Amino acid sequence: MIETCNPPESKLSLFWIALICTIIGTECIISIFANGFIAAINAAEWIQNKAVFTSGRILFFLSVSRLAFQSLMVLELTFSSTSPSFYYEDVVYDIFKASFMFLNSCSLWFAAWLNFFYFVKIADFSYPLFLKLKWRISGLMPWLLYLSTFISLGNSVLFSNNIYTVYCNNSLPIPFSNSTEKKYFTETNVINLLLLYYLGILIPLIMFILAATLLIISLKRHTLHMESNATGYRDPSMEAHLGAIKATSYFLIFYLFNAVALFLYMSNIFDINNFWNILCKIIMVAYPAGHSILLIQDNRGLRRAWKRLQLRVHLYPKD
């Protein structure tokens, strides 16, 4: 069991807290805008064409889960700062933590399915099972997305029980005053947290790592083959393969850092205003923001839609 509490705040700590909140708020705005853009583009295509490509469906699920996650992060920061008596109620605190687990687990699952889909479609392997999967992956993907959502929901329901206990101390004196203030303490069952946390993310984490690694190996092998047959100039398709290798590597790094940061944050190992706890929050917000920006850059349809949006914004004042 790990016990944490809110430490006394000083003027210096308030300054740094305000600075960190500004950084996290900026990341949230960037992430909400980027994921809102991805969700809107794919939703518009879905409504207009009565259908959507498999990659677009996964991107829509991923962006919506991240929008909800960022909104929850903003709510948590707001309530924990302005209304701790409400935030630290047992039921409210458990709902926040379970919701964090559900939305982040969904996001990890959907990112893993996106990476797995790209791996199946792009990688060049001649195994019969892999070729059969390549033909059937588009039809299977909607069911896999719904299944992973229900798995995340079930895990978050288990997560809301017997993990956290909140205590309140009403007798802490305020310096230079005769009054007292409330301080809230949280006890975390780290063993249960560890089991349920990794039960929720272990499969998508392994799937993401394997798919990313095999995709990088396949792309690298194909790139080396193209370089050996090069005629003295840079082939655009080789540039695209190198870009895909870099993007997949970035996704993998973001994914691993986010998984570690979420566990440290959920375990309450650090005090709420501790540097490492704040760093975990920054990483948790930076991951969906950075990943979504890379998705827009690397997806041809999203990149075209972004350029059209920029053009309309630039032309609007002239009209």
Side-chain angles (χ1 to χ4, degrees):
M1 305 284 281
I2 291 179
E3 185 178 288
T4 62
C5 67
N6 295 335
E9 294 180 344
S10 63
K11 291 183 179 179
L12 181 62
S13 65
L14 286 174
F15 167 77
W16 284 110
I17 290 171
L19 179 62
I20 295 301
C21 285
T22 302
I23 295 173
I24 293 176
T26 303
E27 289 179 335
C28 281
I29 292 172
I30 294 173
S31 179
I32 289 173
F33 183 81
N35 284 290
F37 174 78
I38 294 174
I41 293 301
N42 286 286
E45 179 186 353
W46 203 335
I47 294 171
Q48 183 178 2
N49 300 328
K50 307 298 181 183
V52 67
F53 291 113
T54 303
S55 59
R57 186 190 298 267
I58 304 173
L59 286 171
F60 177 76
F61 275 72
L62 178 61
S63 58
V64 169
S65 68
R66 286 177 171 172
L67 276 172
F69 180 82
Q70 297 294 343
S71 301
L72 185 67
M73 176 72 77
V74 172
L75 281 177
E76 194 215 26
L77 286 172
T78 302
F79 285 126
S80 62
S81 302
T82 62
S83 183
S85 59
F86 172 76
Y87 173 73
Y88 282 104
E89 290 204 9
D90 274 333
V91 176
V92 176
Y93 192 81
D94 286 342
I95 289 174
F96 267 107
K97 294 301 183 181
S99 299
F100 265 115
M101 190 62 193
F102 169 68
L103 293 173
N104 197 78
S105 179
C106 283
S107 177
L108 292 177
W109 269 107
F110 299 152
W113 286 128
L114 181 65
N115 203 57
F116 181 76
F117 177 75
Y118 285 156
F119 159 68
V120 171
K121 285 296 185 181
I122 297 174
D124 185 19
F125 294 108
S126 57
Y127 302 107
L129 182 61
F130 181 80
L131 295 176
K132 186 176 181 179
L133 181 62
K134 187 185 285 282
W135 281 103
R136 298 191 59 187
I137 188 63
S138 295
L140 291 173
M141 189 53 66
W143 298 104
L144 295 175
L145 292 173
Y146 296 135
L147 176 62
S148 56
T149 302
F150 283 113
I151 291 174
S152 300
L153 180 60
N155 188 60
S156 64
V157 170
L158 294 174
F159 191 85
S160 63
N161 297 319
N162 303 320
I163 300 291
Y164 301 104
T165 306
V166 180
Y167 302 100
C168 177
N169 189 337
N170 295 313
S171 59
L172 291 179
I174 300 176
F176 310 108
S177 173
N178 293 326
S179 59
T180 60
E181 64 177 337
K182 291 183 179 180
K183 285 295 179 181
Y184 295 91
F185 300 82
T186 58
E187 242 179 24
T188 306
N189 190 324
V190 178
I191 301 299
N192 286 351
L193 172 67
L194 189 65
L195 290 174
L196 290 175
Y197 178 77
Y198 282 105
L199 180 66
I201 74 162
L202 185 61
I203 295 177
L205 185 63
I206 293 174
M207 184 173 64
F208 190 99
I209 293 173
L210 286 177
T213 303
L214 291 173
L215 180 59
I216 290 172
I217 291 172
S218 177
L219 290 172
K220 188 64 177 177
R221 185 179 63 182
H222 191 61
T223 302
L224 292 174
H225 176 72
M226 294 168 66
E227 285 179 341
S228 65
N229 296 330
T231 57
Y233 65 91
R234 298 288 284 181
D235 188 350
S237 60
M238 187 168 66
E239 293 280 1
H241 279 74
L242 291 173
I245 293 173
K246 291 179 182 178
T248 305
S249 302
Y250 293 149
F251 294 170
L252 181 58
I253 294 170
F254 282 153
Y255 197 96
L256 293 174
F257 269 99
N258 180 70
V260 174
L262 179 66
F263 173 74
L264 293 176
Y265 175 73
M266 300 290 284
S267 63
N268 290 327
I269 292 175
F270 309 111
D271 290 336
I272 191 169
N273 292 330
N274 182 277
F275 167 78
W276 295 106
N277 190 64
I278 293 173
L279 181 62
C280 288
K281 284 186 178 181
I282 292 175
I283 293 173
M284 287 164 56
V285 179
Y287 162 67
H291 191 194
S292 300
I293 291 172
L294 287 175
L295 286 174
I296 294 173
Q297 290 179 341
D298 295 330
N299 186 285
R300 187 181 305 172
L302 292 175
R303 195 166 59 245
R304 281 200 306 263
W306 175 251
K307 289 180 179 179
R308 289 198 302 268
L309 177 62
Q310 285 181 310
L311 184 61
R312 290 183 180 181
V313 170
H314 290 156
L315 291 178
Y316 181 77
K318 298 180 182 180
D319 294 338

